Amino acid sequence: MIQTFHVYMNYGRDNIALNDVTLEIDRGEFVFLTGPSGAGKTTFLKLIFREEVPSQGQILVNGRNVSAIPEAKIPFLRRNIGVVFQDFKLLPRKTVFENVAFVLRVMGIAKLERKRRAFQILKQVGLHHKMNSYPLQLSGGEQQRVAIARALINEPVLLLADEPTGNLDPELAFEIMSLFQEINARGTTVLVATHDRDLIMRLGKRVILLEKGRVAES
Amino acid sequence: MRFVRAIAYCVEEAFVELWRNRLVNLVSIGTIAVSLFILGIFLTVSASLNQLLEGWAGRVQLTLYLEEGLSASDREQLDLVLGNSPELESFQFVSKEDALERFRSYFPELSTLPDLLESNPLPASFEVGVAPDFREPDQVRVVARRLAGLDGVSEVDYDLLWIERLTGIIELVQMIGLTIGSALAIASVFTIFNVIKLTVYGRQEEIGIMRLVGATHAYIRGPFLVEGILQGGLGGGLALGLLYVAHQYLLREALRSVQLLPSDDWLQFVPPPAWAALILGGMFVGLLGSALSVRKFLASPV
């Protein structure tokens, strides 16, 4: 699903975020990406859905060279990748429903169908009663779950999550992980960046450890 | 269906944004309204003057004074020539006696004057109406020249002065209107450009998020363009409303007070095609402003 070949990412001359990263994640895998803060976890995720382009090296996602995708096609790549951002990135002036169903709307899906699917996915994260609230009316944990619901609504082939349990208490964190596992069982490849060791231990999945931009363990 | 939904999305978002930033948007709607209003005023006045001109031109009449002592056969010949002239709509013979009769009825206090002269000094004439296709001042002059050259015609008299003056005034009014109107239209484009720029800046983060979750460039741009079109259309509508009020209560009154109004119905309100032109023109101005702004400030699609 994801293959990287000697990927480098520099922000300016002295700021090297990724240093010769070569790795492979198979279709249907569930992988944790871990490492200390500043190790390059977020950068790695950004490269996959092409929020950033690597300074050097190649990245294949679902068989496509991400750097070579023409700009006009990038939205279509992103529609197939669910992303849970560390800072949620919810649209503050849209309701929970509108946020979650945004990608469906962009895809031209009818409102009734959008409602149905949004309700379903929000129910799975336990927020179906807050469809009409605005993000700023929700707690951090709730916003995080909205972000998760948005990432999952289009049944992506790949789910990227950046510290998706950072704002959740352990019980809820575990619930979210169960949800991810469920999604994974249905065929979605899942890549979760986290430094929550407990969570990693509990799930016993493959772990990629990044340290100072290098793959220390895979 | 997908396309219809995309359009619906753009329109809905545009309305939401329009309402959300209503104060700023009022500025751009107002600028467009003012420029189209001023353009409209000039159009109304020039259209009305044109109508007035047409009324006058309908009475463009030439008088062909005939030579003294023209024989009956010469007159018949002239009759024939005039009858075969396509530039003429009508002609009527006025004999010396008829002319005297008219003179007496026009100037009763001078009615004894011809008697003092012993003979009738007034010439016989033809009064000629010009056909509608030949009523432009230049054409009238050509017709007059041709008629003056006919055998038996001593002089051709006509009055084009007023028509020429009015034509000049209409051209001036139209030119002033177009100049001011287009200057203001350009100002409106810039206003919209800047208002949309502010909106784009204010929504930078939101736009970034939309892109990250898979919105295409067209989807992000669409609402801004529709917003510009709506601003322009609303401006055009407002201009039309103002124009109506101005027409009803100001222009007519002003012209009536200076007694420039021959009858009540000549100062027409702009006709329906012009309503459409005002509103469509506003929409175009709005679209232009927002398109330029979006092009400049939403350039990077990633």
Side-chain angles (χ1 to χ4, degrees), chain A residues 180-201:
Chain A
F180 283 9
Q181 278 180 294
E182 220 174 278
I183 300 287
N184 179 240
R186 278 188 262 155
T188 298
T189 308
V190 179
L191 177 58
V192 180
T194 182
H195 49 236
D196 184 343
R197 284 175 178 280
D198 283 351
L199 203 66
I200 296 172
M201 302 284 272

Side-chain angles (χ1 to χ4, degrees), chain A residues 49-51 71 74-76 78-79 85 89-91 93-94 102-103 105-110 150, chain B residues 2 5 8-9 12-13 17 20-21 203 206-207 209-217 219 301-302:
Chain A
F49 65 95
R50 208 189 187 283
E51 188 178 349
E71 278 179 358
I74 293 169
F76 302 96
R78 290 177 180 163
R79 288 176 196 177
F85 298 93
K89 294 202 188 301
L90 298 176
L91 300 166
R93 298 192 298 200
K94 295 198 180 295
F102 185 76
V103 68
R105 181 147 206 206
V106 168
M107 289 165 68
I109 289 169
R150 180 180 63 187
Chain B
R2 204 169 267 201
R5 285 204 192 103
Y9 166 82
E12 195 183 315
E13 291 292 302
E17 279 307 310
R20 192 171 275 150
N21 303 319
R203 295 183 59 200
E206 219 172 306
I207 291 165
I209 296 172
M210 289 179 185
R211 284 193 171 130
L212 288 180
V213 297
T216 54
H217 197 42
Y219 224 83
V302 192

Side-chain angles (χ1 to χ4, degrees), chain B residues 2-300:
Chain B
R2 204 169 267 201
F3 182 70
V4 174
R5 285 204 192 103
I7 298 284
Y9 166 82
C10 293
V11 172
E12 195 183 315
E13 291 292 302
F15 269 113
V16 168
E17 279 307 310
L18 213 55
W19 181 247
R20 192 171 275 150
N21 303 319
R22 50 194 171 275
L23 279 180
V24 183
N25 288 324
L26 268 182
V27 174
S28 39
I29 292 171
T31 335
I32 292 186
V34 167
S35 55
L36 291 175
F37 170 68
I38 290 177
L39 191 65
I41 289 274
F42 283 98
L43 284 181
T44 311
V45 171
S46 74
S48 300
L49 288 177
N50 245 329
Q51 206 181 359
L52 189 64
L53 181 69
E54 260 165 41
W56 286 356
R59 286 177 300 223
V60 172
Q61 208 178 48
L62 298 100
T63 308
L64 274 57
Y65 294 107
L66 304 182
E67 285 165 3
E68 200 65 33
L70 199 67
S71 71
S73 68
D74 284 343
R75 192 176 77 72
E76 272 165 27
Q77 184 62 32
L78 210 50
D79 227 64
L80 209 65
V81 174
L82 294 180
N84 287 323
S85 299
E87 314 94 302
L88 305 184
E89 188 180 52
S90 63
F91 61 95
Q92 192 197 356
F93 179 70
V94 180
S95 68
K96 285 174 72 75
E97 294 70 33
D98 295 337
L100 186 63
E101 205 51 48
R102 273 197 206 168
F103 178 82
R104 285 193 167 126
S105 72
Y106 289 165
F107 309 104
E109 61 275 22
L110 297 175
S111 63
T112 53
L113 193 66
D115 297 335
L116 296 173
L117 292 170
E118 289 180 353
S119 71
N120 176 357
L122 299 173
S125 63
F126 274 105
E127 285 175 355
V128 171
V130 178
D133 289 348
F134 297 90
R135 284 178 186 164
E136 291 288 320
D138 284 344
Q139 293 169 313
V140 172
R141 245 177 251 116
V142 172
V143 173
R145 216 172 299 136
R146 190 175 78 79
L147 296 180
L150 293 178
D151 281 341
V153 175
S154 66
E155 201 188 333
V156 174
D157 196 16
Y158 56 98
D159 189 3
L160 277 176
L161 193 62
W162 265 103
I163 291 177
E164 282 179 339
R165 255 186 216 166
L166 198 60
T167 310
I169 291 175
I170 290 172
E171 277 167 10
L172 188 69
V173 167
Q174 281 172 341
M175 218 168 67
I176 295 174
L178 279 179
T179 312
I180 298 181
S182 27
L184 288 169
I186 292 171
S188 314
V189 169
F190 276 100
T191 311
I192 295 226
F193 176 85
N194 283 310
V195 165
I196 298 280
K197 172 174 125 183
L198 285 179
T199 322
V200 170
Y201 278 169
R203 295 183 59 200
Q204 208 73 279
E205 198 189 335
E206 219 172 306
I207 291 165
I209 296 172
M210 289 179 185
R211 284 193 171 130
L212 288 180
V213 297
T216 54
H217 197 42
Y219 224 83
I220 287 170
R221 213 164 27 174
F224 290 107
L225 298 184
V226 174
E227 201 179 327
I229 294 174
L230 284 176
Q231 287 176 350
L234 288 172
L238 189 59
L240 199 60
L242 287 175
L243 208 56
Y244 182 75
V245 172
H247 171 259
Q248 284 298 82
Y249 301 104
L250 298 175
L251 275 182
R252 288 169 83 103
E253 291 307 316
L255 289 166
R256 192 176 288 139
S257 68
V258 294
Q259 297 188 328
L260 247 174
L261 220 55
S263 73
D264 246 15
D265 57 276
W266 77 268
L267 188 69
Q268 300 290 325
F269 188 52
V270 284
W275 305 357
L278 275 182
I279 292 176
L280 288 177
M283 287 177 157
F284 177 73
V285 165
L287 177 65
L288 191 64
S290 58
L292 287 173
S293 193
V294 160
R295 196 187 143 99
K296 189 159 163 120
F297 302 105
L298 263 182
S300 135

